[in-house]
Structure formats: structure tokens, C-alpha cells
Amino acid sequence: MTDLTLADGVAGILLLALTAYAVLAGADFGGGVWDLFAAGPRVRAQRTAIAAAMGPVWEANHVWLIFLLVGLFTAFPTVFAALSVALYLPFTIALLGIILRGAAFTFQTHGYEAAGELAPWGAAFGAASIIAPAFLGAALAAVAAGSVHATSGPNVTTGWVSWLAADLALLAVALCAYLAATFLMVETEGDPPLQADFRRRAFGAAIVSGVLALIGLVLAWRQAPLLWSELTGRGIWLLLIALINGPIAAFAVWRRSPRVARVAVAAQIVFVLWAWAVGQWPALVPPDFTIHGSAAPETTLLALTVTIAAGMVVLAPSLWLLFRVFKGRNPAA
Amino acid sequence: MDNVVLSRAIMGTSLGFHIVFAVLGVGMPLLMFVAEGIGLWRHDAAWLALARRWAKAFALIFAIGAVSGTALSFELGLLWPGFMAFSGSIIGLPFSAEGFAFFIEAIFLGLYLYGWERLSPLAHWLTGIPIAISGAASSLFVVMTNAWMNSPTGYVASGGRVIRVDPLAAAFNRSTPTEDVHMLVSAYLVTGFAVAAVYAAGFLRGHGDALHRRALPLAMAMAVVASGLAGITGDTSSRFVAGEQPIKFAAQEGLFPTTKGAPLAIGGVPLPDQHRTVLAIEIPNLLSLLTTGDPNATIKGLDAFPQDLWPNVLIVHFSYQLMVGLGLALGFCGLLYWFLAARRRAPPIDRWLLLALVAAGPASVVTMETGWFVTEFGRQPWIIYGVMRTSAAATTTPALGPTFAIFLLVYLGLGLTLARLLLRLAQRERQNATPIDTAPRR
């Protein structure tokens, strides 16, 4: 039984990494969305606030993805290979988005001083910030709906071209934007007009993501019976918590309590992911791959767990220091 | 082109692009740490200004390294699903350790780049330590996985499935010591010569201010120490390869018949169809002597192995010759610089020497890239030496051609933009320089 417990534990760690990436990097992607849609009399101030908020942390936030990929191919190598084959196209497009987003952001922020506005890269930053979460969302939809099979051949549209995937792609972008808007409300607490800009954006994102989430539930019910049964089975309580946080977040935005709103939006993302994961347990990528059936030999799982534990001893205080210095009481100082 | 060729082309392009930023990610933090440390110790504004200037450039370089490294994490699966399904559980340990090292580097780099005003000078300087250490650790960890592809150990497979793994034995395989150390010192070598080239060019264009007079000797100090170590570890590597992968060794030396008292072929063109290397300068018995210490020892040639196990002899031999030749020239450049400095008791800034140093920058990158060509082309047809052929590991997806074209364009765009921004940044920094930085030359 030890073997099973360890594999489940590693799967749980990977879920936490996915959650951390979704929330932290999600907010960074959302920042890119608002950079693209910066408008009104404070365009420059909006973009400066976004760059200041993302600058010190986006690379660290991005590493959760590396962590997730490496953990997946170490602990569940056949699953990593099957996902890479079946979802070749969405992953490749998301990867291009990730590359261009990071490069464009860096060119813009660090190059601005030297070269001024870099027109194509400014637009690339925004566009890539939409492409990356959208295609990762579509890929997640394909996995959750059970469309990735062990024998998935080289068909580039397998599973991820569906109404549900389209909806989840848009929902992923909308949630990133929503999350970023509430984060930016916190960052701009010293500048009421600028904060009002992001508050309006948070409202817009709240409505859009709410509608897309409800459409997603209907689509899951009608078109993805596997996902629907998972969400309404063991995952139902987590799903309900996620849904309850919808109105809480919107209310907090209306009440100008960005710190509460930030947590409530993040909670929606976290609990939806957990509802899906807990609902489909013990499957890792349903229907063909279970956690226990696809896990690496036990020594690998043990070595990975020890590495992660040892790594966390160094990582946790470092992350605490990073966020303490840049996201403390006076983030704009 | 078939999928195996395209997969190799995409992976090779991605690796060749990423490695340039990866080595600077290892070496630059050490230079920044030393410059800032001297600046704090001596209350020298120019040293501190140098550290700040390097940090601005490094922010750009590191980000491109981070995103191109992410591409590789994805491409391992997207291009080589067969390889990853087999070996993920075996080589995952050093990859995860590398993940943590990269995480630490990213976190402390965030503190370093954005913390000049938020941290005390001492605290800021200290954040440089985890950056430099985790940068070096990343290199050590990630090269372990490549070493495993050369010396696969630490697992038991049955029917194509890995059933038992000893992750530590896999990480610390026979190739690890030589490959790891040789790559690490090469990273410092490339950084040293690349930075030296920038400041040598500055001197040549008449920008030789206080910063240049500090930066060039510091970079050359790193370069000369690293070249010496790269020479020693390179020699060890070659002799190790002779025993571990005799086919690769025969290919890099262009040796076809198994020969007692084998000569060293310098230059030359291997003709695999005719089983001979032509136009080479041959030094009798030297290959046997260098490889075994005995001038009459027998060295196995390519003819001792079936031809379908040969790598591309032309590429491997040519790359190896270029790496060794340029490596020796770089080492000579470094020694010459310090010989002149010691004799004159002042760093030399002769025009001919500066021109040579400008050329040494790109040459050091070519040296490192050709070194990887020897490792990778020389291991073919295997992706895991003796265990799995590259052709069995590649993806079967139909969309590889366009992917290759798009990635080429993206890397080209990133490289050109980065180069343009770094040049502009240098220009702007000079214009904004405070008087202390531009104190007249002696």
C-alpha cells in the first residue's frame, strides 16, 4: 500500500503546483490582457502599474510550470508522453505564447529605458498573454473530458476542438483577467482614479467569467458526461465552494475591498481545479491512466518526494522573502 | 524531411539557442557578485556602477534563457515522447533538482534586479550568492541528464518498460564527472570571453572609461582561469570517451582503421565511403600517446564497428577539430593578455590585442556549440547510447515542418531584438554616465 500512497502524494503535489501556476502566473497573464486593453486617460499609468506588479515576480511564478512538467515526466512518464502526443498542437501554441509573453514583457520593461516603446513587442505581450492561458485551458478541457487516450494517434485536433474546450479556453483568459484586476486594485491603493480603472475592469471580468462558467457547466452536463459525473460526484462540495466565491468576489469588488476580492477570485480557480482533481481520482488522465497504474517505480517517487521536501526547505523562505519585499504593505513604494 | 530529422532540427535549434543564455546565466552572476563586492569593499562607485550596468543587461539575457528553457521542457515530450516515456522516471531526479535551482535563481534575481533601493547594500550584495550558486547548480544538474544519455545506468527494464530505478546511480553515471565539470568551466569561459569582447570593442571605439578599465581585466581573469580548466577537463573528457564510446572517439579523430601507434590527425576531411581521412596533418603516434600514455597503443577505428552504428563522421570530426583549435587559441589569448599585463604592470590595451579579444567572444560561443555538436552528433544513431535509437524516440505528429519554421522565426526575432536592445542599453548607459565613470584614462 505504501506504493499507492506515495503515488497519490506525488499527484497531490503536482496538483498544488498546477494550482500555484494557475493563480500566480494566471494573474501575470491577466496583467498582459489589461496591458493590451489599456484605455482611457491613464493608459500609461495602467501599463506602468502592471509592469511594476509583475516585474519582480513573474519569472518565479513561471517556474511552477517547469516544476509541474518535470514532476509529471518524472513521476508519470507515460502520461507526459501521451499528453504530449495527443495535445501536440495546443501545447505548442501555448508554448509559443509563453515564450513570446516572457520575452515581450522583458523587452518592454527592461528595454523601455533604452529604446522607448517597442511597438510590435507591446502588442505581442498582450496577445501572447491571451494565447497561452487559452490553449492551456483548452488542453485542460480535453484532459478533463476524457479525450486523451493511451493510443491517441497523431491527430492534431484530438479532443481539444470542442465547444467545452472553447468555453474553458475563454474562461481561463477571463479568470486570469479577473484575478489580475483584483491584484492590481491592491497594488494601486494609493491612486484612487487608477484603482477605479481596475475596479471597472474587475467588474467586466466578473460578469464575463461568470457567464462563461455557467455555460461551461451546461456544456459539461450535455457534452462531457465523464467530467459532469466527476464534478457532481466526489467533487461537488469543492465545486460549490468555488461557486459561492463568485458572488463574494463580485461583492468585494463593489465594496472596494480588493484584498478580499483577490482571495475570493483565487479561491474560485483553486476550488474548481480541486473539484476536478478530487472528482476524477484515482484517475490521472481519464479514462486510460490512473495514478497507480501510470506511476514511476517507487524509488523514483521516493527520490522525487525527498528532492521536493529538501527543495522546499530552501524555496519556501526564499519565496517568502521575495513576496515580503515586493508585495508587502506598500507595494508601490 | 521525415519526423526524426525535423525533431532533431527543432531540438538542436532550441538547445543551441538556449545554451548561449544558459552559460551567461551561470557566469554573469559571478562577475556581478565580484564587481559589487569590490565596489562595496573599496567604496568604489565605478565598480558598483559596473554591477548595476551588468544587472540591467543580465535581466534581458536571463529572461530569454528562462523562456527558451521552458521551450525545452515542453519539447522533451512534444518531440521525443518515446524517449520520455522510457527515461522520465530515470532522469527525473536531476531535472527536478534543476527545477529548484532555477526557482532559487529566479527568486533571488528578482530581489537583485528590483531590490537596489529596497535592500541594504550588504543584503543586496548577499542576494548575489544564491544566484551564482544556483546558476552553477542548474548546469551541473541538467548536464547529468545528458550524461545519462551517454552512459545509461541505474535502472532495470523489462519488455521496454522500466521496472526498477536507482535515481542516484542514474544521476551519477560514468559520464557525469567529466561532462559536468567540462560544461561548468566552459560556461565561465564563454562568459569571460563574451564580456571581454564587449569591453575590448568599447576600448577600440574610444569609450575606455573607468568601467572599461575594471570590466576587461575582471572578465579576462575569469576567461583565463576557465580556459585552463576547460583544457584539462577537455583532455580528460576525450580520454574518457575513448573508453566509453569508442565509435564517437574514432569519429572525432577521423580514424578509420584500427591502428597500433595511431597518429593524431589535425584537420583533414573524413571520407566515410572510402574509409579514410584525407588532407590531414598527421603526427605519428601522438593519438595513442595522448589517449593512453603509450605511443604504441592500439586505438580502435571506425572500421571496427558496423557502419550503421557510425555517427556523421564529417560533422563530428569537423566540430571536434574546431572546438580543440579554437579552445587552444582562446587559452593562448588569455595567457598573452596576462603575460603582457604582468610585464607592464598594467592591463594591456594594444589595438591588435583588443581586436583579437573582440574575435574571441564569438569564437568562445562557437567552441562551446561545437563541443555539444561532438557530444550529440557523436552519440547518433542512439538517443540513449546502446539502448534506444533516436528514430524510435521521435514523435509521429504531422505538424512538425511548420513548427520548425515558426520556432526558427521566433528565435531569430528574439535574438535580433535582444542584440538591438543590449546595444541601445550600452549607448544609453554611456550617455547617462556620471562623471566618476568617465574619469579620463591615465
mmCIF file with all atom_site columns, all heavy atoms in Angstrom, chain B residues 64-84:
data_model
loop_
_atom_site.group_PDB
_atom_site.id
_atom_site.type_symbol
_atom_site.label_atom_id
_atom_site.label_alt_id
_atom_site.label_comp_id
_atom_site.label_asym_id
_atom_site.label_entity_id
_atom_site.label_seq_id
_atom_site.pdbx_PDB_ins_code
_atom_site.Cartn_x
_atom_site.Cartn_y
_atom_site.Cartn_z
_atom_site.occupancy
_atom_site.B_iso_or_equiv
_atom_site.pdbx_formal_charge
_atom_site.auth_seq_id
_atom_site.auth_comp_id
_atom_site.auth_asym_id
_atom_site.auth_atom_id
_atom_site.pdbx_PDB_model_num
ATOM 1   N N   . ILE B 1 64 ? 15.350 35.685 -21.509 1.00 0.00 ? 64 ILE B N   1
ATOM 2   C CA  . ILE B 1 64 ? 15.355 34.908 -22.752 1.00 0.00 ? 64 ILE B CA  1
ATOM 3   C C   . ILE B 1 64 ? 15.813 33.470 -22.455 1.00 0.00 ? 64 ILE B C   1
ATOM 4   O O   . ILE B 1 64 ? 15.308 32.513 -23.026 1.00 0.00 ? 64 ILE B O   1
ATOM 5   C CB  . ILE B 1 64 ? 16.266 35.560 -23.814 1.00 0.00 ? 64 ILE B CB  1
ATOM 6   C CG1 . ILE B 1 64 ? 15.804 36.994 -24.091 1.00 0.00 ? 64 ILE B CG1 1
ATOM 7   C CG2 . ILE B 1 64 ? 16.252 34.765 -25.111 1.00 0.00 ? 64 ILE B CG2 1
ATOM 8   C CD1 . ILE B 1 64 ? 14.366 37.106 -24.523 1.00 0.00 ? 64 ILE B CD1 1
ATOM 9   N N   . GLY B 1 65 ? 16.759 33.324 -21.533 1.00 0.00 ? 65 GLY B N   1
ATOM 10  C CA  . GLY B 1 65 ? 17.163 31.980 -21.115 1.00 0.00 ? 65 GLY B CA  1
ATOM 11  C C   . GLY B 1 65 ? 16.019 31.226 -20.461 1.00 0.00 ? 65 GLY B C   1
ATOM 12  O O   . GLY B 1 65 ? 15.828 30.035 -20.713 1.00 0.00 ? 65 GLY B O   1
ATOM 13  N N   . ALA B 1 66 ? 15.228 31.932 -19.651 1.00 0.00 ? 66 ALA B N   1
ATOM 14  C CA  . ALA B 1 66 ? 14.119 31.270 -18.951 1.00 0.00 ? 66 ALA B CA  1
ATOM 15  C C   . ALA B 1 66 ? 13.063 30.795 -19.931 1.00 0.00 ? 66 ALA B C   1
ATOM 16  O O   . ALA B 1 66 ? 12.602 29.654 -19.855 1.00 0.00 ? 66 ALA B O   1
ATOM 17  C CB  . ALA B 1 66 ? 13.495 32.227 -17.930 1.00 0.00 ? 66 ALA B CB  1
ATOM 18  N N   . VAL B 1 67 ? 12.682 31.644 -20.895 1.00 0.00 ? 67 VAL B N   1
ATOM 19  C CA  . VAL B 1 67 ? 11.615 31.222 -21.807 1.00 0.00 ? 67 VAL B CA  1
ATOM 20  C C   . VAL B 1 67 ? 12.125 30.162 -22.794 1.00 0.00 ? 67 VAL B C   1
ATOM 21  O O   . VAL B 1 67 ? 11.388 29.230 -23.129 1.00 0.00 ? 67 VAL B O   1
ATOM 22  C CB  . VAL B 1 67 ? 10.977 32.411 -22.564 1.00 0.00 ? 67 VAL B CB  1
ATOM 23  C CG1 . VAL B 1 67 ? 10.231 33.318 -21.594 1.00 0.00 ? 67 VAL B CG1 1
ATOM 24  C CG2 . VAL B 1 67 ? 11.976 33.182 -23.374 1.00 0.00 ? 67 VAL B CG2 1
ATOM 25  N N   . SER B 1 68 ? 13.388 30.268 -23.224 1.00 0.00 ? 68 SER B N   1
ATOM 26  C CA  . SER B 1 68 ? 13.885 29.242 -24.145 1.00 0.00 ? 68 SER B CA  1
ATOM 27  C C   . SER B 1 68 ? 14.101 27.926 -23.404 1.00 0.00 ? 68 SER B C   1
ATOM 28  O O   . SER B 1 68 ? 13.999 26.849 -24.001 1.00 0.00 ? 68 SER B O   1
ATOM 29  C CB  . SER B 1 68 ? 15.174 29.703 -24.838 1.00 0.00 ? 68 SER B CB  1
ATOM 30  O OG  . SER B 1 68 ? 16.162 30.042 -23.900 1.00 0.00 ? 68 SER B OG  1
ATOM 31  N N   . GLY B 1 69 ? 14.363 27.983 -22.105 1.00 0.00 ? 69 GLY B N   1
ATOM 32  C CA  . GLY B 1 69 ? 14.457 26.758 -21.305 1.00 0.00 ? 69 GLY B CA  1
ATOM 33  C C   . GLY B 1 69 ? 13.099 26.096 -21.132 1.00 0.00 ? 69 GLY B C   1
ATOM 34  O O   . GLY B 1 69 ? 12.981 24.876 -21.148 1.00 0.00 ? 69 GLY B O   1
ATOM 35  N N   . THR B 1 70 ? 12.062 26.936 -20.994 1.00 0.00 ? 70 THR B N   1
ATOM 36  C CA  . THR B 1 70 ? 10.707 26.391 -20.912 1.00 0.00 ? 70 THR B CA  1
ATOM 37  C C   . THR B 1 70 ? 10.364 25.639 -22.190 1.00 0.00 ? 70 THR B C   1
ATOM 38  O O   . THR B 1 70 ? 9.740  24.577 -22.160 1.00 0.00 ? 70 THR B O   1
ATOM 39  C CB  . THR B 1 70 ? 9.692  27.525 -20.705 1.00 0.00 ? 70 THR B CB  1
ATOM 40  O OG1 . THR B 1 70 ? 10.110 28.296 -19.588 1.00 0.00 ? 70 THR B OG1 1
ATOM 41  C CG2 . THR B 1 70 ? 8.309  26.979 -20.465 1.00 0.00 ? 70 THR B CG2 1
ATOM 42  N N   . ALA B 1 71 ? 10.791 26.209 -23.324 1.00 0.00 ? 71 ALA B N   1
ATOM 43  C CA  . ALA B 1 71 ? 10.546 25.534 -24.599 1.00 0.00 ? 71 ALA B CA  1
ATOM 44  C C   . ALA B 1 71 ? 11.117 24.123 -24.548 1.00 0.00 ? 71 ALA B C   1
ATOM 45  O O   . ALA B 1 71 ? 10.483 23.161 -24.985 1.00 0.00 ? 71 ALA B O   1
ATOM 46  C CB  . ALA B 1 71 ? 11.175 26.328 -25.742 1.00 0.00 ? 71 ALA B CB  1
ATOM 47  N N   . LEU B 1 72 ? 12.310 23.973 -23.991 1.00 0.00 ? 72 LEU B N   1
ATOM 48  C CA  . LEU B 1 72 ? 12.943 22.656 -23.939 1.00 0.00 ? 72 LEU B CA  1
ATOM 49  C C   . LEU B 1 72 ? 12.149 21.680 -23.068 1.00 0.00 ? 72 LEU B C   1
ATOM 50  O O   . LEU B 1 72 ? 11.995 20.513 -23.427 1.00 0.00 ? 72 LEU B O   1
ATOM 51  C CB  . LEU B 1 72 ? 14.377 22.783 -23.435 1.00 0.00 ? 72 LEU B CB  1
ATOM 52  C CG  . LEU B 1 72 ? 15.307 23.501 -24.412 1.00 0.00 ? 72 LEU B CG  1
ATOM 53  C CD1 . LEU B 1 72 ? 16.648 23.787 -23.765 1.00 0.00 ? 72 LEU B CD1 1
ATOM 54  C CD2 . LEU B 1 72 ? 15.499 22.670 -25.665 1.00 0.00 ? 72 LEU B CD2 1
ATOM 55  N N   . SER B 1 73 ? 11.632 22.163 -21.920 1.00 0.00 ? 73 SER B N   1
ATOM 56  C CA  . SER B 1 73 ? 10.852 21.263 -21.063 1.00 0.00 ? 73 SER B CA  1
ATOM 57  C C   . SER B 1 73 ? 9.666  20.687 -21.823 1.00 0.00 ? 73 SER B C   1
ATOM 58  O O   . SER B 1 73 ? 9.344  19.510 -21.696 1.00 0.00 ? 73 SER B O   1
ATOM 59  C CB  . SER B 1 73 ? 10.318 21.985 -19.822 1.00 0.00 ? 73 SER B CB  1
ATOM 60  O OG  . SER B 1 73 ? 11.288 22.809 -19.264 1.00 0.00 ? 73 SER B OG  1
ATOM 61  N N   . PHE B 1 74 ? 8.991  21.548 -22.606 1.00 0.00 ? 74 PHE B N   1
ATOM 62  C CA  . PHE B 1 74 ? 7.869  21.067 -23.403 1.00 0.00 ? 74 PHE B CA  1
ATOM 63  C C   . PHE B 1 74 ? 8.357  20.141 -24.516 1.00 0.00 ? 74 PHE B C   1
ATOM 64  O O   . PHE B 1 74 ? 7.778  19.088 -24.762 1.00 0.00 ? 74 PHE B O   1
ATOM 65  C CB  . PHE B 1 74 ? 7.124  22.253 -24.037 1.00 0.00 ? 74 PHE B CB  1
ATOM 66  C CG  . PHE B 1 74 ? 6.012  22.792 -23.180 1.00 0.00 ? 74 PHE B CG  1
ATOM 67  C CD1 . PHE B 1 74 ? 6.184  23.943 -22.446 1.00 0.00 ? 74 PHE B CD1 1
ATOM 68  C CD2 . PHE B 1 74 ? 4.784  22.149 -23.131 1.00 0.00 ? 74 PHE B CD2 1
ATOM 69  C CE1 . PHE B 1 74 ? 5.154  24.453 -21.671 1.00 0.00 ? 74 PHE B CE1 1
ATOM 70  C CE2 . PHE B 1 74 ? 3.747  22.653 -22.359 1.00 0.00 ? 74 PHE B CE2 1
ATOM 71  C CZ  . PHE B 1 74 ? 3.931  23.810 -21.625 1.00 0.00 ? 74 PHE B CZ  1
ATOM 72  N N   . GLU B 1 75 ? 9.420  20.575 -25.196 1.00 0.00 ? 75 GLU B N   1
ATOM 73  C CA  . GLU B 1 75 ? 9.863  19.841 -26.392 1.00 0.00 ? 75 GLU B CA  1
ATOM 74  C C   . GLU B 1 75 ? 10.352 18.437 -26.070 1.00 0.00 ? 75 GLU B C   1
ATOM 75  O O   . GLU B 1 75 ? 10.285 17.541 -26.921 1.00 0.00 ? 75 GLU B O   1
ATOM 76  C CB  . GLU B 1 75 ? 10.955 20.631 -27.118 1.00 0.00 ? 75 GLU B CB  1
ATOM 77  C CG  . GLU B 1 75 ? 10.373 21.802 -27.894 1.00 0.00 ? 75 GLU B CG  1
ATOM 78  C CD  . GLU B 1 75 ? 11.407 22.772 -28.431 1.00 0.00 ? 75 GLU B CD  1
ATOM 79  O OE1 . GLU B 1 75 ? 12.607 22.598 -28.127 1.00 0.00 ? 75 GLU B OE1 1
ATOM 80  O OE2 . GLU B 1 75 ? 11.014 23.704 -29.142 1.00 0.00 ? 75 GLU B OE2 1
ATOM 81  N N   . LEU B 1 76 ? 10.852 18.225 -24.852 1.00 0.00 ? 76 LEU B N   1
ATOM 82  C CA  . LEU B 1 76 ? 11.241 16.862 -24.476 1.00 0.00 ? 76 LEU B CA  1
ATOM 83  C C   . LEU B 1 76 ? 10.097 15.900 -24.755 1.00 0.00 ? 76 LEU B C   1
ATOM 84  O O   . LEU B 1 76 ? 10.295 14.805 -25.274 1.00 0.00 ? 76 LEU B O   1
ATOM 85  C CB  . LEU B 1 76 ? 11.607 16.816 -22.990 1.00 0.00 ? 76 LEU B CB  1
ATOM 86  C CG  . LEU B 1 76 ? 12.958 17.392 -22.583 1.00 0.00 ? 76 LEU B CG  1
ATOM 87  C CD1 . LEU B 1 76 ? 13.080 17.424 -21.075 1.00 0.00 ? 76 LEU B CD1 1
ATOM 88  C CD2 . LEU B 1 76 ? 14.079 16.563 -23.175 1.00 0.00 ? 76 LEU B CD2 1
ATOM 89  N N   . GLY B 1 77 ? 8.876  16.316 -24.398 1.00 0.00 ? 77 GLY B N   1
ATOM 90  C CA  . GLY B 1 77 ? 7.716  15.460 -24.638 1.00 0.00 ? 77 GLY B CA  1
ATOM 91  C C   . GLY B 1 77 ? 7.156  15.610 -26.029 1.00 0.00 ? 77 GLY B C   1
ATOM 92  O O   . GLY B 1 77 ? 6.806  14.632 -26.682 1.00 0.00 ? 77 GLY B O   1
ATOM 93  N N   . LEU B 1 78 ? 7.062  16.862 -26.510 1.00 0.00 ? 78 LEU B N   1
ATOM 94  C CA  . LEU B 1 78 ? 6.419  17.104 -27.797 1.00 0.00 ? 78 LEU B CA  1
ATOM 95  C C   . LEU B 1 78 ? 7.200  16.446 -28.938 1.00 0.00 ? 78 LEU B C   1
ATOM 96  O O   . LEU B 1 78 ? 6.614  15.970 -29.898 1.00 0.00 ? 78 LEU B O   1
ATOM 97  C CB  . LEU B 1 78 ? 6.299  18.605 -28.061 1.00 0.00 ? 78 LEU B CB  1
ATOM 98  C CG  . LEU B 1 78 ? 5.350  19.376 -27.133 1.00 0.00 ? 78 LEU B CG  1
ATOM 99  C CD1 . LEU B 1 78 ? 5.426  20.868 -27.405 1.00 0.00 ? 78 LEU B CD1 1
ATOM 100 C CD2 . LEU B 1 78 ? 3.918  18.877 -27.311 1.00 0.00 ? 78 LEU B CD2 1
ATOM 101 N N   . LEU B 1 79 ? 8.529  16.439 -28.833 1.00 0.00 ? 79 LEU B N   1
ATOM 102 C CA  . LEU B 1 79 ? 9.341  15.884 -29.916 1.00 0.00 ? 79 LEU B CA  1
ATOM 103 C C   . LEU B 1 79 ? 9.787  14.457 -29.636 1.00 0.00 ? 79 LEU B C   1
ATOM 104 O O   . LEU B 1 79 ? 9.992  13.677 -30.559 1.00 0.00 ? 79 LEU B O   1
ATOM 105 C CB  . LEU B 1 79 ? 10.580 16.765 -30.154 1.00 0.00 ? 79 LEU B CB  1
ATOM 106 C CG  . LEU B 1 79 ? 10.289 18.229 -30.510 1.00 0.00 ? 79 LEU B CG  1
ATOM 107 C CD1 . LEU B 1 79 ? 11.583 19.022 -30.601 1.00 0.00 ? 79 LEU B CD1 1
ATOM 108 C CD2 . LEU B 1 79 ? 9.528  18.317 -31.816 1.00 0.00 ? 79 LEU B CD2 1
ATOM 109 N N   . TRP B 1 80 ? 10.005 14.103 -28.382 1.00 0.00 ? 80 TRP B N   1
ATOM 110 C CA  . TRP B 1 80 ? 10.594 12.795 -28.052 1.00 0.00 ? 80 TRP B CA  1
ATOM 111 C C   . TRP B 1 80 ? 9.738  12.021 -27.045 1.00 0.00 ? 80 TRP B C   1
ATOM 112 O O   . TRP B 1 80 ? 10.235 11.606 -25.991 1.00 0.00 ? 80 TRP B O   1
ATOM 113 C CB  . TRP B 1 80 ? 12.012 12.986 -27.481 1.00 0.00 ? 80 TRP B CB  1
ATOM 114 C CG  . TRP B 1 80 ? 12.863 13.866 -28.322 1.00 0.00 ? 80 TRP B CG  1
ATOM 115 C CD1 . TRP B 1 80 ? 13.245 15.144 -28.059 1.00 0.00 ? 80 TRP B CD1 1
ATOM 116 C CD2 . TRP B 1 80 ? 13.412 13.546 -29.606 1.00 0.00 ? 80 TRP B CD2 1
ATOM 117 N NE1 . TRP B 1 80 ? 13.998 15.647 -29.084 1.00 0.00 ? 80 TRP B NE1 1
ATOM 118 C CE2 . TRP B 1 80 ? 14.128 14.683 -30.055 1.00 0.00 ? 80 TRP B CE2 1
ATOM 119 C CE3 . TRP B 1 80 ? 13.381 12.411 -30.410 1.00 0.00 ? 80 TRP B CE3 1
ATOM 120 C CZ2 . TRP B 1 80 ? 14.790 14.717 -31.282 1.00 0.00 ? 80 TRP B CZ2 1
ATOM 121 C CZ3 . TRP B 1 80 ? 14.044 12.449 -31.627 1.00 0.00 ? 80 TRP B CZ3 1
ATOM 122 C CH2 . TRP B 1 80 ? 14.738 13.585 -32.053 1.00 0.00 ? 80 TRP B CH2 1
ATOM 123 N N   . PRO B 1 81 ? 8.449  11.814 -27.362 1.00 0.00 ? 81 PRO B N   1
ATOM 124 C CA  . PRO B 1 81 ? 7.585  11.112 -26.398 1.00 0.00 ? 81 PRO B CA  1
ATOM 125 C C   . PRO B 1 81 ? 8.099  9.710  -26.069 1.00 0.00 ? 81 PRO B C   1
ATOM 126 O O   . PRO B 1 81 ? 7.986  9.268  -24.920 1.00 0.00 ? 81 PRO B O   1
ATOM 127 C CB  . PRO B 1 81 ? 6.222  11.085 -27.086 1.00 0.00 ? 81 PRO B CB  1
ATOM 128 C CG  . PRO B 1 81 ? 6.490  11.354 -28.530 1.00 0.00 ? 81 PRO B CG  1
ATOM 129 C CD  . PRO B 1 81 ? 7.718  12.203 -28.581 1.00 0.00 ? 81 PRO B CD  1
ATOM 130 N N   . GLY B 1 82 ? 8.672  9.013  -27.068 1.00 0.00 ? 82 GLY B N   1
ATOM 131 C CA  . GLY B 1 82 ? 9.162  7.663  -26.809 1.00 0.00 ? 82 GLY B CA  1
ATOM 132 C C   . GLY B 1 82 ? 10.316 7.671  -25.817 1.00 0.00 ? 82 GLY B C   1
ATOM 133 O O   . GLY B 1 82 ? 10.392 6.822  -24.926 1.00 0.00 ? 82 GLY B O   1
ATOM 134 N N   . PHE B 1 83 ? 11.185 8.653  -25.959 1.00 0.00 ? 83 PHE B N   1
ATOM 135 C CA  . PHE B 1 83 ? 12.323 8.793  -25.040 1.00 0.00 ? 83 PHE B CA  1
ATOM 136 C C   . PHE B 1 83 ? 11.842 9.121  -23.623 1.00 0.00 ? 83 PHE B C   1
ATOM 137 O O   . PHE B 1 83 ? 12.289 8.528  -22.653 1.00 0.00 ? 83 PHE B O   1
ATOM 138 C CB  . PHE B 1 83 ? 13.249 9.894  -25.568 1.00 0.00 ? 83 PHE B CB  1
ATOM 139 C CG  . PHE B 1 83 ? 14.305 10.345 -24.599 1.00 0.00 ? 83 PHE B CG  1
ATOM 140 C CD1 . PHE B 1 83 ? 15.356 9.515  -24.267 1.00 0.00 ? 83 PHE B CD1 1
ATOM 141 C CD2 . PHE B 1 83 ? 14.242 11.606 -24.022 1.00 0.00 ? 83 PHE B CD2 1
ATOM 142 C CE1 . PHE B 1 83 ? 16.335 9.932  -23.373 1.00 0.00 ? 83 PHE B CE1 1
ATOM 143 C CE2 . PHE B 1 83 ? 15.215 12.027 -23.136 1.00 0.00 ? 83 PHE B CE2 1
ATOM 144 C CZ  . PHE B 1 83 ? 16.260 11.188 -22.809 1.00 0.00 ? 83 PHE B CZ  1
ATOM 145 N N   . MET B 1 84 ? 10.909 10.071 -23.530 1.00 0.00 ? 84 MET B N   1
ATOM 146 C CA  . MET B 1 84 ? 10.466 10.495 -22.202 1.00 0.00 ? 84 MET B CA  1
ATOM 147 C C   . MET B 1 84 ? 9.658  9.414  -21.502 1.00 0.00 ? 84 MET B C   1
ATOM 148 O O   . MET B 1 84 ? 9.760  9.246  -20.289 1.00 0.00 ? 84 MET B O   1
ATOM 149 C CB  . MET B 1 84 ? 9.659  11.792 -22.300 1.00 0.00 ? 84 MET B CB  1
ATOM 150 C CG  . MET B 1 84 ? 10.483 13.012 -22.652 1.00 0.00 ? 84 MET B CG  1
ATOM 151 S SD  . MET B 1 84 ? 11.988 13.189 -21.669 1.00 0.00 ? 84 MET B SD  1
ATOM 152 C CE  . MET B 1 84 ? 11.304 13.639 -20.078 1.00 0.00 ? 84 MET B CE  1
#
